[in-house]
Each structure stands twice: as C-alpha cells, then as structure tokens.
C-alpha cells in the first residue's frame, strides 16, 4: 500500500482459502469461536508452506494474533497468506483474515497472525526447504 491507498485498506498476500462460518461454529453467545478462526488460518498457512516446501510440514509457532473486529455467521472469510521469511528448514507466513458480511459492500480485516512451519520428511524429521526462485 502507498500513501494514496491509506483510505482503501486491502488484504496483503495471496487468497489461500475462503470459507463461511456456520451456526455450528459459534459459542453459546452466538459468536464465532476464535479457535475456529485460528484453525482456518493454520490450514491456509499450512497450504502455502506445503507448496513452498514441496511436501509435508508442521506448525511450530503462532505469533502476534490480535482480533480487530467480530466475525459473523454467514459472512465470507478469506485467509490471505504472505511468505515473510524462509530459513534452511523453516518458513514464516503472515496470515491476514478479511471478511465480507452478507450485507456489506466492502471487506474488513478481522485479524492477522504470524505462523512458523518446518519442512518434515515422511518420518517426521526436519528436512531442508528446497531452493526457491528468488
């Protein structure tokens, strides 16, 4: 984003998954569980990590989650992923969650978080991430 776009916030990264929370994804108060949302974020980041590592990977950390606005049942939820850093065997992936409520014209940001994965082999041992085109 540039200074000219500051009044038009938009997701950063690649749309990796899009889902719709259902009433069964809520707590007794009718609010979407934070855990449900974290699960979607982990699946999205793991999908990107799998493409980057060209195989299995495991979540090793989640960092800096902050819930900015509520998530409503029936709204479209998009998880946008961006590779932040890559090491010998690890990948840091930022996930932004944006929602478009059923009656809204513009999406709004719900949360973001940083997920760290390591590439693993078929025996669950850490392996190197293949060389990337940089």
């Amino acid at each position: 984003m540039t200074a000219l776009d500051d009044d038009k916030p938009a997701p950063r990264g690649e749309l990796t998954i899009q889902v719709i929370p259902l009433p069964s994804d809520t707590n007794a108060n009718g609010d979407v569980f934070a855990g449900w949302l974290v699960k979607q974020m982990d699946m999205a980041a793991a999908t990107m990590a799998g493409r980057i590592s060209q195989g299995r990977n495991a979540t090793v950390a989640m960092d800096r989650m902050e819930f900015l606005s509520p998530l409503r049942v029936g709204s479209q939820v998009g998880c946008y992923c961006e590779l932040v850093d890559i090491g010998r065997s690890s990948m840091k992936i930022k996930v932004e969650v944006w929602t478009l409520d059923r009656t809204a014209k513009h999406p709004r940001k719900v949360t973001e978080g940083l997920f760290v994965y390591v590439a693993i082999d078929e025996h669950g041992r850490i392996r190197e991430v293949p060389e990337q085109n940089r």
Side-chain angles (χ1 to χ4, degrees), residues 30-90:
D31 301 319
V32 174
F33 281 114
W36 178 88
L37 188 54
V38 172
K39 176 183 171 182
Q40 308 310 314
M41 295 171 74
D42 191 24
M43 285 192 298
T47 299
M48 177 173 270
R51 284 198 305 262
I52 294 164
S53 69
Q54 299 174 17
R56 291 182 64 191
N57 58 80
T59 310
V60 294
M62 292 183 287
D63 190 20
R64 294 192 312 249
M65 296 240 14
E66 185 177 333
F67 295 95
L68 307 172
S69 63
L71 183 56
R72 295 181 181 91
V73 168
S75 57
Q76 290 179 322
V77 177
C79 294
Y80 294 80
C81 296
E82 178 179 27
L83 179 64
V84 175
D85 191 26
I86 190 165
R88 187 183 69 74
S89 61
S90 65

Side-chain angles (χ1 to χ4, degrees), residues 76 99-108:
Q76 290 179 322
T99 185
L100 182 61
D101 297 327
R102 288 182 281 179
T103 59
K105 292 184 181 184
H106 303 288
R108 62 185 168 82

